[in-house]
Amino acid sequence: MKYILILSIIFIFKNRSVGANDIFHYVTEKMSNFVDTIMYTFRNIGDRVSQFFQSHVKIIKSTKGPKKYYKSERSVSTHKPIKFTTKEHTTISEVIPSRHFKKKSEPTSYMTAPQLITLHGRRVESHIVLTEDGYFLTLHRVMTPHVQSSSELRNKTVLLHHGLLGSSADWVLLGPKKSLPYLLSNLGYDVWMANARGNIYSRGHVSKNTNSPDFWRFSWQEMGQYDLPAIIHYIRLVKNTSDPISYVGHSMGATALLVLLSTEPIFNSYLSIGILLAPLAFMVNSQGPLRMFSPVASRPPPLLLQVMGEGEFMPSKETPDWMAFRHCTGPQIFCKNPLLYLTGGVLQEQFWDEGLKNRVLNHVPAGGSTYTILHYAQIAKNGKFHKFGDIIAEFPLNRISLPIALISSSDDWLATVPDVKRLYFGLSNPIDHHVIRNNNLSHTEFVWGPGADILVFRKVIDYLQNGLSLSVIKLNVV
């Protein structure tokens, strides 16, 4: 395959002048197609390369001047997940959506997590935790309104960990009546919310500056290896108790827990139950841009790193136009959002009010490292749950003894049902795999989807209160 690409690039240079972005785009597209289809012949690849660059030059000329929104030739449903395309003949004019949602300013859009919690009428505490490798993390604690004595909270402690490119704010975007931390707080739980290294609340280090690529040389592996141990030890210290903690992790928050429990088995005894929402561990069936990145994830070319960011992942908080509009069909505001672009999530507009849309779009992505994205792309390619850059060093999931419940969705493009099922059978002590079917619940909507309180949170509370009893196992659908 690499020889075909080299010859193709030589052919291009001999016949026309092209930019570096054009060559990079073509190469990554070819690598992606190699995963999902068969190799092209020398003859066809030369013809198709020529056609692509001819059409691309025409597009550049036609889009000079005022910005325009081009009408898609295919119908776009705003209540379905983003669709991605890697067809050879697709042009930008075919995929730029006809509809777009304009982000607006409203009071809660730019509030921090503590400000939102305070606005919602709850008491909140912020705690700073120092990891073994020098990162400062922020924990947000939602205090229970009905319990004044800290001793009463010892047996009902819950740690929530956000997902990919998220933050603690993700858990409270649904407002005072539907957000999971408040539902748990009303039941007497002491709720702690983590912030992974690199997001807007956890950007400190004892010696590294965030402007340095050194600061960002971490993936979800370090979150499980350093962040979670520091957080769990800190909570136990502050509460002055050895009582086990309940854990709810979404997406990357689930990944970090699996790393911790498989590499440091002692932490299995520090927790009472793990509830993993849309867990990312095995990703061979994942769809979307991660599939496009996966062929070169182990050794990303310089041009890819320029696009993704050599330290922080897309620090501009916007997906480049040429990537978003070529591989994504949906409202422009969603395709341009790096997190929604990666996860294929389109807000279901008939259920979302303007305030919720703006809160979500202004709070995510909350920041993260390019290494984190590349690590996920690696396991998507290799079909194994392994360490960064080392396909042989798999995390020993069979060492996890903690009772774990899994929740997945049939409409999730990253944590697919077959992959989550594979995780279920790889664990030593799984208690359930609950599948939410045919509800258009995308990867991100497990936390802030308008129906999350019914589809997801009720089941989470069920597990917390009855999860260790066999009587909780019910019909595995919603």
Side-chain angles (χ1 to χ4, degrees):
M1 183 66 180
K2 65 181 180 181
Y3 298 114
I4 296 175
L5 296 176
I6 292 171
L7 289 173
S8 301
I9 293 173
I10 293 173
F11 173 82
I12 295 166
F13 274 109
K14 284 184 176 180
N15 288 275
R16 56 180 50 80
S17 175
V18 295
N21 282 340
D22 297 326
I23 296 173
F24 165 71
H25 184 274
Y26 176 73
V27 170
T28 54
E29 187 168 7
K30 283 298 156 197
M31 294 295 281
S32 177
N33 287 342
F34 178 69
V35 175
D36 299 318
T37 61
I38 62 174
M39 289 193 305
Y40 293 95
T41 62
F42 285 94
R43 190 173 184 179
N44 287 340
I45 198 170
D47 294 340
R48 294 188 179 192
V49 169
S50 300
Q51 291 172 5
F52 166 69
F53 282 108
Q54 286 173 351
S55 63
H56 191 64
V57 170
K58 291 178 183 178
I59 292 168
I60 293 174
K61 291 179 179 178
S62 66
T63 55
K64 288 182 178 179
K67 191 170 185 179
K68 299 178 181 179
Y69 298 95
Y70 293 84
K71 187 173 182 179
S72 173
E73 293 181 7
R74 57 177 70 91
S75 61
V76 177
S77 175
T78 57
H79 64 278
K80 293 181 179 179
I82 290 176
K83 295 180 180 179
F84 293 92
T85 176
T86 55
K87 290 182 179 179
E88 184 76 13
H89 61 271
T90 305
T91 62
I92 293 177
S93 61
E94 291 178 318
V95 296
I96 294 182
S98 58
R99 299 191 61 195
H100 62 282
F101 168 72
K102 192 171 183 179
K103 199 161 45 171
K104 301 176 183 177
S105 296
E106 56 100 14
T108 62
S109 293
Y110 299 99
M111 288 185 178
T112 64
Q115 290 171 340
L116 284 171
I117 295 168
T118 302
L119 179 68
H120 297 157
R122 307 289 177 136
R123 291 197 301 128
V124 59
E125 294 177 354
S126 293
H127 297 255
I128 306 299
V129 180
L130 178 62
T131 68
E132 185 182 342
D133 60 341
Y135 284 82
F136 289 104
L137 313 176
T138 300
L139 283 174
H140 291 134
R141 184 186 191 185
V142 179
M143 303 300 293
T144 304
H146 307 304
V147 182
Q148 300 300 322
S149 172
S150 60
S151 62
E152 296 181 59
L153 295 172
R154 286 184 178 179
N155 294 319
K156 302 190 72 173
T157 305
V158 180
L159 173 60
L160 307 181
H161 198 300
H162 61 81
L164 180 65
L165 301 178
S167 74
S168 57
D170 296 0
W171 297 103
V172 297
L173 294 178
L174 279 178
K177 295 182 179 179
K178 299 171 68 174
S179 298
L180 180 60
Y182 307 144
L183 298 177
L184 295 176
S185 180
N186 292 340
L187 295 173
Y189 286 92
D190 183 17
V191 181
W192 295 71
M193 299 183 294
N195 282 287
R197 60 181 63 196
N199 81 11
I200 56 174
Y201 299 108
S202 298
R203 295 202 169 190
H205 192 276
V206 294
S207 61
K208 298 176 182 179
N209 191 296
T210 54
N211 293 326
S212 167
D214 243 12
F215 177 91
W216 300 98
R217 287 199 176 97
F218 61 81
S219 74
W220 43 261
Q221 180 175 323
E222 284 72 22
M223 296 171 197
Q225 185 177 354
Y226 298 110
D227 292 8
L228 280 184
I231 290 170
I232 292 171
H233 280 310
Y234 181 86
I235 294 174
R236 286 160 60 90
L237 179 65
V238 169
K239 293 173 68 70
N240 191 27
T241 179
S242 60
D243 291 332
I245 300 168
S246 299
Y247 185 95
V248 180
H250 171 236
S251 178
M252 185 180 70
T255 313
L257 181 69
L258 295 173
V259 171
L260 172 65
L261 299 182
S262 63
T263 55
E264 297 289 342
I266 185 62
F267 281 89
N268 285 274
S269 63
Y270 294 168
L271 305 176
S272 59
I273 187 175
I275 303 171
L276 308 186
L277 315 179
L280 297 179
F282 299 106
M283 300 180 64
V284 71
N285 294 294
S286 63
Q287 304 177 51
L290 275 174
R291 175 63 58 193
M292 180 181 69
F293 298 148
S294 62
V296 294
S298 296
R299 294 183 178 180
L303 285 174
L304 177 60
L305 291 178
Q306 286 180 23
V307 173
M308 299 178 70
E310 295 188 29
E312 183 179 4
F313 178 69
M314 292 190 183
S316 66
K317 301 296 186 292
E318 285 194 353
T319 308
D321 288 354
W322 68 269
M323 288 179 65
F325 299 152
R326 187 168 182 82
H327 295 282
C328 168
T329 61
Q332 185 204 34
I333 194 69
F334 304 143
C335 294
K336 291 283 289 180
N337 184 292
L339 178 58
L340 299 181
Y341 171 74
L342 284 176
T343 60
V346 170
L347 310 186
Q348 301 177 54
E349 294 190 72
Q350 69 271 35
F351 301 117
W352 290 65
D353 60 57
E354 293 295 311
L356 180 55
K357 288 180 187 177
N358 281 287
R359 284 195 299 276
V360 168
L361 290 171
N362 283 301
H363 279 88
V364 300
S369 70
T370 294
Y371 273 38
T372 299
I373 306 302
L374 291 176
H375 201 168
Y376 278 125
Q378 288 176 17
I379 63 176
K381 173 191 176 185
N382 299 323
K384 297 180 179 181
F385 186 48
H386 62 80
K387 294 184 178 180
F388 186 89
D390 190 348
I391 188 175
I392 299 176
E394 296 184 67
F395 293 101
L397 295 177
N398 59 350
R399 299 179 68 189
I400 300 176
S401 59
L402 180 72
I404 289 183
L406 308 173
I407 303 180
S408 64
S409 167
S410 59
D411 296 298
D412 188 339
W413 281 34
L414 291 190
T416 64
V417 173
D419 288 335
V420 176
K421 186 180 294 185
R422 181 181 173 187
L423 171 62
Y424 176 87
F425 287 111
L427 298 170
S428 298
N429 193 16
I431 60 176
D432 194 17
H433 174 202
H434 183 71
V435 182
I436 301 172
R437 300 187 184 277
N438 304 319
N439 278 274
N440 288 326
L441 190 74
S442 67
H443 188 74
T444 56
E445 290 181 302
F446 277 80
V447 173
W448 61 58
D453 57 324
I454 304 298
L455 296 174
V456 182
F457 301 161
R458 283 186 180 180
K459 196 65 180 176
V460 169
I461 293 171
D462 196 13
Y463 287 136
L464 288 173
Q465 296 182 329
N466 310 295
L468 302 183
S469 169
L470 291 178
S471 63
V472 75
I473 309 302
K474 302 181 178 68
L475 186 63
N476 211 18
V477 294
V478 172

